Amino acid sequence: MSTQPLLIVGSIAFDDLDMPSGQYRDVLGGAATYSALAASLVARSVRVVGIVGDDFPEQHLADLRARGVDTAGVERAKGRTFRWHGRYSADLASRQSIDTQLNVFADFSPKIPPAYASSPFVLLGNIHPRLQVDVLEQASKPTLVAADTMNFWIEREPAALAAMLERIDLLVINDEEARQLSGVHNLVRAAADIRRRGPKMLIVKRGEFGALLFDDAGTFFVPAYPLEDVLDPTGAGDSFAGGLLGYLAARGEVTPATMRQALFFAAAMGSFCVEGIGPARLQAIGRPELAARIASFARLVDRGGELVLPG
Ligand code: AMP
């Protein structure tokens, strides 16, 4: 199989970030932004659907296009761009949302350009589950539909969320969300419960503790790449999802083997993301850095041959 187009739908934002290292204002952010930046490092055709206000610099979109991202699906509306203000703890282990201003994102109703409708790979970023389904109504039989969601929708829109789950192939969420969605603490049991609700495949992200894939081939684990310097975890999950889908779209097929390879690629993207403030590091790297990190990752998990049981 050969490389296939990937459609990404989600938020595009300005973030204000209070980090232990300082305060950063008007940083380019949003789930779709991080996912597209990560995916574009490996996939040749990445299409973004999102919304920005009239305050959003054209240069940000031009930068995405310079990386091969198609931004024709980014709507420009009258008003201000979505803004999020987050404050991290000194050890970066937790964060607080200080302020969320939906602005033009409040009325976002994703319109999929006709040229995008047949995208074989689709990543539905964290938006209202009803809107995620709306996107699928406008798409024609994708090979793989992956989605993200968050506690807000799990608590407030259980029916819409259930309808969304029935229509996707892969759900990518964190461990807290998996527990909340299933009502089960044990992650293996939680995964089985969630997979009964629709998605055949589930990825549970566990931050610095790696990620687990649950699919018909079994359970698979990828560690997080151990880093000496972590600057900003914002967008790591979205970079992970973008890297995952980007890899699968580039390979053009979804098998247990390509899924497992994609998880390494995804984890590598998450690791790059946290090395810079906002998307700075993701924007700076190219194929050489990527190849080096993939090679380091392979060494990280190289067990030196087959495991033997001595004696
Ligand atoms: P993550 O760290 O992976 O959760 O992603 C953080 C990004 O998500 C930031 O760039 C924010 O702009 C964006 N974001 C924060 N809150 C929301 C929300 N309610 N809906 C969509 N995107 C959001």
Side-chain angles (χ1 to χ4, degrees), residues 11 13 15 29-31 34 82 84 88 95 100 105 126 150 233-238:
S11 59
D15 291 342
Y34 282 104
F82 173 75
W84 177 73
Y88 284 82
R95 77 175 180 206
T100 301
F105 195 52
N126 163 37
M150 69 187 291
T234 308
D238 306 311

Side-chain angles (χ1 to χ4, degrees), residues 7 9 47-50 70-75 110-119 138-139:
L7 169 64
V9 183
R47 302 157 166 176
V48 176
V49 167
D70 184 338
T71 61
V74 177
E75 187 183 336
K111 288 172 210 67
I112 308 304
Y116 292 5
S118 60
S119 303
Q138 299 172 62

Side-chain angles (χ1 to χ4, degrees), residues 154-167:
I154 297 171
E155 280 158 30
R156 298 187 199 203
E157 296 286 350
L161 190 68
M164 182 275 278
L165 290 177
E166 284 176 13
R167 304 208 30 184

Side-chain angles (χ1 to χ4, degrees), residues 10-17 27-34 82-85 88 95 97 99-100 102 105 125-128 148 150 152-153 174 177 205 232-240 273 278-279:
S11 59
I12 301 173
F14 286 127
D15 291 342
D16 289 336
L17 305 170
V27 178
L28 174 65
T33 308
Y34 282 104
F82 173 75
R83 294 190 82 91
W84 177 73
H85 183 176
Y88 284 82
R95 77 175 180 206
S97 285
D99 190 26
T100 301
L102 293 175
F105 195 52
N126 163 37
I127 53 177
H128 194 301
D148 184 11
M150 69 187 291
F152 185 85
W153 307 120
N174 67 35
E177 291 157 352
K205 295 172 292 176
D232 174 15
T234 308
D238 306 311
S239 305
F240 180 100
C273 177

Side-chain angles (χ1 to χ4, degrees), residues 11-273:
S11 59
I12 301 173
F14 286 127
D15 291 342
D16 289 336
L17 305 170
D18 296 353
M19 312 304 303
S21 60
Q23 299 197 331
Y24 305 88
R25 297 290 173 256
D26 297 337
V27 178
L28 174 65
T33 308
Y34 282 104
S35 295
L37 285 170
S40 67
L41 276 161
V42 68
R44 237 170 291 154
S45 174
V46 179
R47 302 157 166 176
V48 176
V49 167
I51 191 165
V52 297
D54 40 30
D55 56 351
F56 194 78
E58 182 54 33
Q59 190 58 46
H60 284 330
L61 297 176
D63 290 345
L64 281 171
R65 284 194 292 274
R67 305 170 57 105
V69 176
D70 184 338
T71 61
V74 177
E75 187 183 336
R76 194 180 275 279
K78 251 185 144 31
R80 299 181 77 214
T81 300
F82 173 75
R83 294 190 82 91
W84 177 73
H85 183 176
R87 181 170 299 155
Y88 284 82
S89 59
D91 61 0
L92 297 176
S94 60
R95 77 175 180 206
Q96 226 183 319
S97 285
I98 302 289
D99 190 26
T100 301
Q101 294 173 20
L102 293 175
N103 299 330
V104 295
F105 195 52
D107 303 315
F108 181 45
S109 165
K111 288 172 210 67
I112 308 304
Y116 292 5
S118 60
S119 303
F121 288 79
V122 178
L123 175 57
L124 302 170
N126 163 37
I127 53 177
H128 194 301
R130 187 168 23 79
L131 297 181
Q132 292 176 314
V133 170
D134 277 355
V135 171
L136 298 181
E137 294 289 343
Q138 299 172 62
S140 50
K141 285 208 175 71
T143 304
L144 181 83
V145 178
D148 184 11
T149 192
M150 69 187 291
N151 50 5
F152 185 85
W153 307 120
I154 297 171
E155 280 158 30
R156 298 187 199 203
E157 296 286 350
L161 190 68
M164 182 275 278
L165 290 177
E166 284 176 13
R167 304 208 30 184
I168 63 168
D169 306 296
L170 167 66
L171 183 68
V172 186
I173 52 178
N174 67 35
D175 43 8
E176 252 175 68
E177 291 157 352
R179 290 185 170 117
Q180 195 176 3
L181 176 57
S182 61
V184 178
H185 186 80
N186 177 288
L187 283 181
V188 179
R189 289 174 192 270
D193 174 89
I194 292 167
R195 291 179 64 217
R196 277 194 292 272
R197 299 176 191 216
K200 284 263 170 304
M201 298 179 280
L202 172 72
I203 291 173
V204 179
K205 295 172 292 176
R206 309 191 70 194
E208 62 177 311
F209 304 110
L212 288 162
L213 163 71
F214 299 89
D215 67 3
D216 284 344
T219 305
F220 181 72
F221 171 71
V222 65
Y225 188 78
L227 293 166
E228 210 167 308
D229 293 309
V230 174
L231 274 186
D232 174 15
T234 308
D238 306 311
S239 305
F240 180 100
L244 184 92
L245 270 284
Y247 183 88
L248 291 169
R251 293 294 305 272
E253 59 179 354
V254 184
T255 66
T258 59
M259 272 303 290
R260 282 151 177 78
Q261 293 155 17
L263 273 166
F264 278 95
F265 194 81
M269 286 304 153
S271 74
F272 280 124
C273 177

